[in-house]
Amino acid sequence: MADKLHQDLSCTICAQMFTQPVTLDCGHNFCKACIVGVWGELEAVVSCPQCGREFPRRELVTNQLLVTVVASLQHLNPGVETGGNGLRCPVHLEDPQLFCSKDLRLICSSCLALGEERSHRLITIEEAYEFCKGKLENSVLFLEKKLEEYRGAQSDREFKISETLELVESLQENVEAEFAKLHQFLQRQEGALTEKLRRESENLVHSLEGSFKLISKKSSSIEKFIAEIRSLIDTEDRSRLLTDIKCVLQ
């Protein structure tokens, strides 16, 4: 049954599964590139390679049903031959011809036929690799700058914590020394001021420590993002790079 299905979904010219299937007026289907290649040097009147019916005009209508069926079969069975480099338009699941540098996605002939990308900057697949790597490099530079800022803030918080603890210790020593001299008539005031100083110092240190932990967490998160992006930059899997870049940049 699988062989019969594969045969029904194959072009009679190239004997491979349909790529951009089109339908002639006689109802027979072929790969767009195959039928255009057969008709290439013929005169105005062309004919169907399968039934021989002649047509005065070269009208090719995309068979959207076949496009959907072939795409579904290829999705369910990745082992089915598809040709090309494995890249697919995310909308029509067809072989891509260009790359949209605005939407960061692959563009096939069906996208171009719909005219959705006219206002966008379209580049070739080869140009897209360098373009996307450049985008990722800029992201790394941005994140590295942010990481440097967070590390600077982290160092500043560490210094302020240490400075605050030293100041508190010094103040407490001074307060205790002063109140020791006046212990008899200032005992109540000494206890109240010491307790107030302790509470304020704990609150301040707690606040600074919370800020320090948050900055440390963000720094670790940025380091992780940088590692992931560098892994994407260094990968030889071009399909992964072009497929994942939008999600990574967001």
Side-chain angles (χ1 to χ4, degrees):
M1 182 177 179
D3 292 340
K4 180 62 168 60
L5 179 60
H6 189 281
Q7 181 180 356
D8 291 340
L9 296 178
S10 296
C11 172
T12 56
I13 298 176
C14 65
Q16 300 294 324
M17 290 196 72
F18 287 115
T19 300
Q20 295 181 263
V22 294
T23 303
L24 306 186
D25 288 344
C26 60
H28 291 123
N29 301 294
F30 304 93
C31 297
K32 184 176 181 179
C34 293
I35 191 63
V36 170
V38 170
W39 287 352
E41 301 300 329
L42 298 179
E43 299 298 330
V45 177
V46 293
S47 62
C48 172
Q50 192 165 339
C51 67
R53 179 177 171 181
E54 295 185 344
F55 311 106
R57 295 189 303 271
R58 303 188 181 198
E59 294 184 355
L60 300 176
V61 180
T62 299
N63 191 322
Q64 196 59 48
L65 177 60
L66 273 181
V67 171
T68 303
V69 172
V70 171
S72 300
L73 179 62
Q74 291 170 351
H75 178 72
L76 294 173
N77 184 11
V80 176
E81 293 184 6
T82 58
N85 53 16
L87 298 176
R88 284 288 178 270
C89 165
V91 178
H92 304 101
L93 300 179
E94 298 179 8
D95 290 336
Q97 297 179 354
L98 298 169
F99 185 83
C100 178
S101 60
K102 179 179 180 181
D103 290 341
L104 299 177
R105 73 177 183 88
L106 296 164
I107 304 298
C108 68
S109 58
S110 295
C111 297
L112 296 173
L114 294 174
E116 299 173 347
E117 311 298 328
R118 290 177 181 173
S119 61
H120 298 179
R121 180 172 177 262
L122 302 180
I123 57 179
T124 66
I125 300 298
E126 288 301 323
E127 290 176 327
Y129 293 127
E130 297 303 321
F131 174 81
C132 291
K133 283 188 176 182
K135 289 284 253 185
L136 293 175
E137 288 287 358
N138 290 337
S139 296
V140 169
L141 292 176
F142 172 79
L143 291 175
E144 285 178 339
K145 182 178 179 181
K146 284 295 180 183
L147 178 59
E148 183 178 355
E149 293 176 0
Y150 279 120
R151 284 176 174 171
Q154 180 180 354
S155 177
D156 180 64
R157 294 302 185 278
E158 287 180 327
F159 174 77
K160 287 186 177 180
I161 290 173
S162 175
E163 186 181 55
T164 300
L165 291 175
E166 291 177 1
L167 177 60
V168 169
E169 183 179 358
S170 176
L171 288 174
Q172 188 169 348
E173 290 176 354
N174 292 334
V175 169
E176 290 175 353
E178 290 298 323
F179 272 86
K181 299 176 183 179
L182 304 173
H183 182 68
Q184 290 182 351
F185 60 94
L186 292 177
Q187 185 175 9
R188 182 178 299 177
Q189 289 85 344
E190 177 188 7
L193 182 57
T194 301
E195 179 61 20
K196 180 181 179 181
L197 179 61
R198 185 190 63 80
R199 288 198 305 268
E200 291 180 350
S201 66
E202 286 179 351
N203 290 337
L204 179 56
V205 171
H206 179 73
S207 176
L208 291 171
E209 288 177 341
S211 178
F212 173 77
K213 290 179 180 179
L214 178 61
I215 293 172
S216 298
K217 182 177 179 181
K218 288 183 177 294
S219 296
S220 299
S221 178
I222 290 178
E223 288 175 337
K224 180 181 177 182
F225 281 135
I226 291 175
E228 291 177 353
I229 293 177
R230 287 204 177 279
S231 173
L232 190 58
I233 293 173
D234 296 336
T235 184
E236 295 181 359
D237 186 349
R238 295 183 170 183
S239 176
R240 176 189 167 204
L241 187 151
L242 296 180
T243 303
D244 294 351
I245 180 173
K246 187 172 185 178
C247 179
V248 170
L249 292 178
Q250 288 176 341

